[in-house]
Amino acid sequence: NIYYILPDMLMGAREFEAMTGAVYEMDEILEKRNFKVLDHYYSNAPITRLSLAHVFGADYFADKDTTLSNDLIRNLPWRDGGGVYQTLRRRGYNIFYFVDTYVNPDCAPLADYCYTKKNFFDAQDLIFLERTPFFEMLTASGSTLAPVWRRLMKYPYYFEIPEILNMLPKKGASPSFTYLHFGLPHSPYRFDEKCEYYDAYPPIREDKLNGSILAYVKQVKCAEKMYSRLIDQILKNDPDAWIIFQADHGVNYYGQSTGENIMTLSEEQVAQNLSIMGAYRLPERCLDTIPEDMSPVNTFPVLLACLDGRAPELKPAHHYLMYYLSWQPDGQVRDVTEIIRARADHLK
């Protein structure tokens, strides 16, 4: 049985520690559970849809000469699995799909079992409500009612990891592929280090950069606890499970998401955008085929080769800055492969 866990916006250890000065424990947590952790792992693109299009498509769809368009982005492999789910179903796999609704409430069309929530309020409704004069005054006032609003009106409409632990598939006669995508440590920032809800936003309103980094650190510390519980429950149910634990992108705290400055981001900012946690729990013979500088575009070629008992055919690593057109209307693509290689060498 295969589990693909996507901790949205979870940076890798080196870039996290360089940005925050905080201690990062997720790599040690995974290594103790027999994962191979890739120490210098960077996404192929800095936003979810474009990152996962590389992972599930197992190929590059753009280069520095590409101009992104709505049609190109709309037709990229993402939630449909880009042929991965079809391949697994032909091999007899059942597809289980978990989404916590922070990222998106929809399951893949080919999912045999879908676990999500349909909310009375969707994300856009809540954004609208929080921008009304009443709630703007409430949050700006520092009133103790502000965290109550966020907690009662927002977060209970989403899955959090403890809620789904008893829903995980049990080991059965048919093999399963389970996709679990969680908006943790992705915003909205809601957890402190003890995984208790709190209002993270007053410091962010005062100082967007430093307030966001402070909230991110707290949420990562909670994520380490939450994902430990999730992985332990999977291994309790299924001790022989194969697990891929891989984020989609890093953080974007400097206002880089506009065409005006995509070409002028510093090496540090580029690396923060693309830094991701990546770790594999596979048979030793398969782990030996994963080089330290592997690119996420090779995720499923590695997995399928492992199933077949053969060596994977790996594509060379390429890394790009590219964003949604609502953020960057001119559709620029910047090749930052050499920056990432130099950055990885610098942090070794």
Side-chain angles (χ1 to χ4, degrees), residues 135 138 143-156 197-199:
F135 284 109
L138 179 64
S143 167
T144 56
L145 293 177
V148 174
W149 147 253
R150 293 183 179 277
R151 185 179 306 156
L152 297 182
M153 297 298 290
K154 199 168 189 176
Y155 304 143
Y197 286 136
Y198 81 112
D199 188 359

Side-chain angles (χ1 to χ4, degrees), residues 25 105 145 243 300 343:
E25 298 177 274
L145 293 177
I243 306 174
F300 284 101
R343 182 73 177 176

Side-chain angles (χ1 to χ4, degrees), residues 7-309:
D8 206 305
M9 209 172 85
L10 180 59
M11 299 174 74
R14 303 297 184 269
E15 295 292 353
F16 174 85
E17 292 176 345
M19 182 183 80
T20 68
V23 175
Y24 188 91
E25 298 177 274
M26 196 71 234
D27 49 356
E28 183 178 343
I29 289 167
L30 293 169
E31 287 169 350
K32 286 181 178 178
R33 290 158 176 80
N34 298 318
F35 283 78
K36 178 175 182 175
V37 176
L38 301 179
D39 288 331
H40 302 282
Y41 207 42
Y42 294 87
S43 176
N44 302 114
I47 55 177
T48 300
R49 179 172 296 191
L50 303 184
S51 169
L52 293 186
H54 288 90
V55 171
F56 283 96
D59 205 355
Y60 299 101
F61 61 84
D63 58 30
K64 63 181 178 61
D65 297 319
T66 302
T67 299
L68 297 184
S69 66
N70 283 319
D71 284 343
L72 187 156
I73 294 173
R74 188 181 304 115
N75 293 314
L76 290 173
W78 177 39
R79 200 173 296 114
D80 66 357
V84 169
Y85 299 144
Q86 293 93 327
T87 299
L88 290 171
R89 291 187 78 173
R90 286 195 297 270
R91 294 168 180 249
Y93 278 78
N94 290 315
I95 309 297
F96 290 78
Y97 210 93
F98 289 82
V99 285
D100 64 5
T101 321
Y102 283 109
V103 284
N104 194 287
D106 298 323
C107 287
L110 286 180
D112 297 295
Y113 303 93
C114 173
Y115 299 85
T116 184
K117 283 188 175 182
K118 297 295 184 182
N119 299 337
F120 177 73
F121 290 109
D122 67 20
Q124 293 304 314
D125 293 331
L126 291 166
I127 289 171
F128 174 78
L129 287 170
E130 288 189 333
R131 289 176 177 172
T132 59
F134 172 75
F135 284 109
E136 283 188 349
M137 288 189 294
L138 179 64
T139 55
S141 71
S143 167
T144 56
L145 293 177
V148 174
W149 147 253
R150 293 183 179 277
R151 185 179 306 156
L152 297 182
M153 297 298 290
K154 199 168 189 176
Y155 304 143
Y157 290 98
Y158 301 87
F159 273 144
E160 302 290 7
I161 288 174
E163 189 176 356
I164 65 96
L165 295 180
N166 291 327
M167 303 178 188
L168 293 169
K170 302 298 190 291
K171 189 170 185 177
S174 297
S176 61
F177 176 87
T178 303
Y179 175 90
L180 304 111
H181 189 166
F182 295 105
L184 184 71
H186 199 289
S187 57
Y189 299 115
R190 56 202 184 274
F191 286 125
D192 64 14
E193 300 94 327
K194 297 179 180 179
C195 294
E196 295 178 354
Y197 286 136
Y198 81 112
D199 188 359
Y201 287 87
I204 294 174
R205 286 192 292 272
E206 292 179 9
D207 183 341
K208 184 177 180 181
L209 173 59
N210 292 308
S212 297
I213 290 175
L214 177 64
Y216 181 69
V217 169
K218 291 182 178 181
Q219 197 126 300
V220 166
K221 302 315 291 180
C222 172
E224 291 171 341
K225 296 179 176 66
M226 292 277 199
Y227 289 120
S228 297
R229 290 183 62 187
L230 174 62
I231 292 167
D232 286 345
Q233 187 64 49
I234 290 171
L235 295 177
K236 179 181 178 181
N237 294 349
D238 190 356
D240 300 320
W242 295 9
I243 306 174
I244 299 171
F245 186 83
Q246 180 168 280
D248 49 352
H249 57 78
V251 301
N252 178 4
Y253 288 145
Y254 291 89
Q256 308 102 298
S257 55
T258 63
E260 179 181 354
N261 57 18
I262 184 175
M263 305 304 291
T264 60
L265 298 185
S266 69
E267 292 183 5
E268 181 182 53
Q269 292 166 349
V270 168
Q272 288 170 2
N273 261 217
L274 296 175
S275 172
I276 58 173
M277 161 54 73
Y280 291 73
R281 188 181 192 273
L282 300 173
E284 195 67 33
R285 60 178 172 80
C286 304
L287 295 180
D288 290 342
T289 69
I290 301 175
E292 286 296 330
D293 60 349
M294 193 184 82
S295 171
V297 76
N298 293 307
T299 300
F300 284 101
V302 164
L303 179 65
L304 294 174
C306 187
L307 287 172
D308 292 341

